[in-house]
Structure formats: structure tokens, C-alpha cells
Amino acid sequence: MVNIIIDGRKIKAKEGSTILKNARELKIDIPTLCHHDELTPAAACRLCAVEVKTNGKWKITASCDTVAEQGMEIKTDSDKVKENRRLAAQLLYYKYPSTAVVRDMARRLGVEVSDEKIDGHDCILCGLCVRACGEVVDVSALRFRDRGPGRDIDEPEIEFDPALCIGCGACAYVCPTGYVKMESVDNKRIIWDKVFKMQACSVCGSYFAPLDQLEYINKKTGAPLSRLSICMSCR
């Protein structure tokens, strides 16, 4: 355990824990759009900025990927913190002015937002879908395609490999903007414009999971398909 101070409150934090985790345990509200507790932090949106005192000097840092250290002092609501969050939100709003979640966040953090009733769902390149696919599902059907030598693209984007995707829907679940869409039609699931055949439960007959996902689990774990073909409600 390490001793830290958050907004004047002295607490003991677990070694290796982040400032964001400790602040939220104290019910301190810190905004994020690129963070999920089960995924590696990326500090992409910069909305979770806090002010930290180390070696006698205060500096702004992202709370999601900054580890709490012995003697650290943290401010989550100083004027500098508020301004940094506002600027981060303003930049997101400038790039994605029609995206509902970005507009809501920008307005919340003091950015002047137009009164138009818009409900867009742009990809804000937060990376949550990529991390969920790689870290949790262990498939890596999604990856960042960024600018650089030999890459003739105007803007960074998420690249989808249909040959690897198993249709699990983890990417749609973590997407904060609704950009990743998952639809169910009869015995099919559609995600990233790929159509997956759904497996019917061998007991109740309801469609509950893509056949590709069950076959992937079978190969990865050795669990028999006959067992995997029963939905959770019937097990």
C-alpha cells in the first residue's frame, strides 16, 4: 500500500493502482470516453486530466494510466484541471461535432455547443473496440491503421479483418458512441457488415450466440460443441 492525498483526503492506495481507480473509489467524478475498467488504459481522450504533485512540482497528467506513488498529492478539480478537460472536450467537439456523446461531454465540461438536435455516432478513435477484441476476446480482428511511411490514408482509422472476427459483439458493447453497430435479424447477427449464423440452443431453441464464436471457443478451450450449444438459461 502507498499513502496518497486526493483533494485533501489522505488514503492508502494499492500498489500499481491508478489515480482514476482510487478517485472513483472515493466517489470522485472524473470524466472519460476511452476508459474501461477491464481494459488497458490508453489515455487517448485526455478528459480524465488531474493535477499531480511530484518532486515539489505540480503537473497535469491523465489519471487513467498514472499509477499512484508514495506521497503523491492529487487535485481533481483545480482550475488547471478544469481548463485542460475543457480544452480536450473542445478538441473532440471540433473533430466530431455531430456525435451525441461528444456533444454531451463537451457541454458538461463548459464548451459552447450548438443547439441543433443531432444524434451522430462517429468513431472517435478511442481504441476501446481494438483493446476489447485483442485483450479480452484474444482475436485481434480490429486494429488501428494510422498515418505513416507507406500508409496512404488521410486520417487514422479502425481496420476490420472479417477473416478473424467471430461476431462476439464485445466491440459494440464497449463502443462509447454507438459507431460499432450490432444487429440481429432472424437467425443472423450483423456486425461490421459481416453476417454471422446464430446457433440455436439445443434445449429451448432460442438463438443465442454466433456459430463462429462457439467454434472458436471449442478450438481454444476444448469444450465440446454439444455443451457449448446450450444457452446459459438452459444449463
Side-chain angles (χ1 to χ4, degrees):
M1 304 292 283
V2 295
N3 297 302
I4 63 173
I5 301 173
I6 301 182
D7 293 340
R9 299 163 67 178
K10 296 180 180 180
I11 68 166
K12 291 186 179 295
K14 291 182 180 178
E15 291 189 23
S17 63
T18 64
I19 292 174
L20 179 62
K21 177 178 174 57
N22 286 285
R24 286 185 169 174
E25 286 179 353
L26 294 174
K27 308 300 182 185
I28 296 172
D29 182 31
I30 294 180
T32 64
L33 280 180
C34 72
H35 181 76
H36 191 285
D37 288 341
E38 303 303 320
L39 301 173
T40 301
C45 69
R46 312 304 293 183
L47 295 169
C48 68
V50 293
E51 202 172 359
V52 175
K53 187 178 183 180
T54 52
N55 298 321
K57 294 183 179 180
W58 290 95
K59 67 175 183 178
I60 293 291
T61 188
S63 62
C64 69
D65 68 346
T66 301
V67 173
E69 298 178 355
Q70 176 63 32
M72 183 179 279
E73 292 184 47
I74 302 124
K75 295 178 183 177
T76 71
D77 200 36
S78 68
D79 289 342
K80 284 186 178 180
V81 166
K82 291 177 182 177
E83 180 62 13
N84 270 266
R85 291 179 186 172
R86 189 188 68 80
L87 289 173
Q90 190 173 45
L91 178 59
L92 281 169
Y93 175 59
Y94 175 79
K95 293 178 69 175
Y96 311 104
S98 68
T99 302
V101 69
V102 170
R103 292 168 61 85
D104 290 344
M105 180 65 74
R107 188 179 289 110
R108 170 187 164 189
L109 295 177
V111 177
E112 186 174 340
V113 176
S114 71
D115 292 331
E116 294 178 84
K117 291 186 177 180
I118 301 174
D119 188 24
H121 302 280
D122 295 306
C123 172
I124 61 173
L125 299 173
C126 67
L128 282 171
C129 61
V130 176
R131 283 175 278 150
C133 189
E135 296 176 14
V136 178
V137 187
D138 194 25
V139 169
S140 298
L142 299 170
R143 68 183 181 91
F144 273 113
R145 188 164 178 254
D146 208 345
R147 291 171 297 207
R151 297 172 183 161
D152 187 21
I153 60 173
D154 294 328
E155 293 291 336
E157 61 185 15
I158 303 296
E159 189 170 66
F160 170 65
D161 187 340
L164 294 177
C165 183
I166 60 175
C168 67
C171 53
Y173 175 76
V174 299
C175 179
T177 68
Y179 174 78
V180 183
K181 294 180 176 62
M182 184 171 66
E183 300 176 84
S184 296
V185 181
D186 298 325
N187 65 337
K188 297 180 178 62
R189 172 180 289 177
I190 305 168
I191 189 167
W192 293 96
D193 293 327
K194 181 177 178 180
V195 179
F196 295 88
K197 181 179 179 181
M198 297 294 283
Q199 174 67 46
C201 173
S202 59
V203 176
C204 69
S206 62
Y207 294 106
F208 70 98
L211 181 57
D212 286 27
Q213 182 180 3
L214 300 182
E215 290 177 342
Y216 172 78
I217 295 172
N218 165 252
K219 292 176 182 177
K220 190 173 180 66
T221 68
L225 279 173
S226 58
R227 170 68 174 168
L228 295 172
S229 298
I230 303 174
C231 73
M232 293 302 295
S233 298
C234 295
R235 289 184 185 179

